[in-house]
Amino acid sequence: MGDSQVFTSVKSLQKRLHTDRKNSSIGLFPTMGALHHGHIALVKQAMEENDVVVVSIFVNPTQFNNPDDLEKYPRMLEKDIELLNEVGDVIVFAPDVEAVYPDDFEKLNIDLGKLGETMEGEFRPGHFDGVMNVVKRFFDIVKPNRAYFGMKDYQQAAVIKHMVKETNDPVEVVVCDIVREETGLASSSRNVRLSEKQKEEALIISQTLNFLKSIAGKYLPIEACGKAKQFFKDGKLELEYLETIHPVTLKRLETKWVPGAHACIVAYSGEVRLLDNIQLIPFVEK
Ligand code: PAF
């Protein structure tokens, strides 16, 4: 059982980290809270790889383009801290909006090019601008040696890596595997908003991805994608997008597969937006 220290002000957190920094490596795991066992797996990895781990918990308003989604995003700080205490001692940084975005906050403007135009960039305009700015702000506050992100947000991880390259931040970006429920549903903070029936119906998302993987290479990407989309014909979930993409540039693949080809999907169960992804083709063909 740990006894995590909770900081809400930038100054007090930095004072605490100042002492740690001398001989220790610092790992940062930025989150929006509502922690689940997927987050906990990342915290454990960060604890193995660093002397000190900071978990930030902040529902970042600037990355929500839908006010209703922001309002309904689950918030449960006390429960989150209890869960973290079960893992061990971490430093929790739970600031309010004013602490993250002070009056003299300088917005970062980075051209994401094609990385930001498709998928989340297309359906959630301004989303990555908000993500990049809040992550950069946490990097500046914590100055971590490593920062941890989940693979479930595949495009987000690509955007963060791009940002780190552009800003020359001396931080190693570690992208951790997707953690799934036993059923195959990707763990997500949004899952708490699903009923048991919706959770069962949502399995169609991982089933679609697995089906797509099983036929990738046998058909052209555009054909394989078309066949996989049929899974949503019954209308229980509303498919927002299913894309077969290049693993690094994220450009849509239509007529040619490449090593590492990936698929990303977003579907709505009622009002709840669920995303997932899978590698379709290995990097080194066997
Ligand atoms: O992945 C998330 O939970 C958020 O986008 C992040 C990285 C914590 C930034 O608010």
Side-chain angles (χ1 to χ4, degrees), residues 6 99 122 130 170 172 176 179-180 197 200 212:
V6 183
E122 183 183 339
E172 181 190 342
C176 308
V179 177
R180 296 181 182 279
K197 184 164 173 270
E200 207 176 296
L212 189 49

Side-chain angles (χ1 to χ4, degrees), residues 18-33:
H18 181 72
T19 334
D20 289 319
R21 198 174 302 286
K22 294 199 176 105
N23 305 305
S24 313
S25 57
I26 298 178
L28 168 69
F29 178 23
T31 81
M32 297 206 295

Side-chain angles (χ1 to χ4, degrees), residues 117-158:
E117 283 171 15
T118 58
M119 303 189 290
E120 297 303 279
E122 183 183 339
F123 286 94
R124 302 182 75 186
H127 169 68
F128 285 132
D129 216 27
V131 171
M132 271 195 304
N133 271 281
V134 79
V135 170
K136 174 70 176 136
R137 173 82 173 123
F138 286 138
F139 284 179
D140 289 346
I141 294 170
V142 177
K143 301 199 184 343
N145 301 81
R146 297 185 191 85
Y148 292 78
F149 298 89
M151 173 80 110
K152 186 166 74 67
D153 296 287
Y154 189 82
Q155 191 175 11
Q156 170 172 283

Side-chain angles (χ1 to χ4, degrees), residues 95-108:
D96 61 15
V97 176
E98 286 70 33
V100 177
Y101 300 113
D103 288 343
D104 60 355
F105 176 75
E106 274 181 39
K107 201 167 169 283
L108 179 73

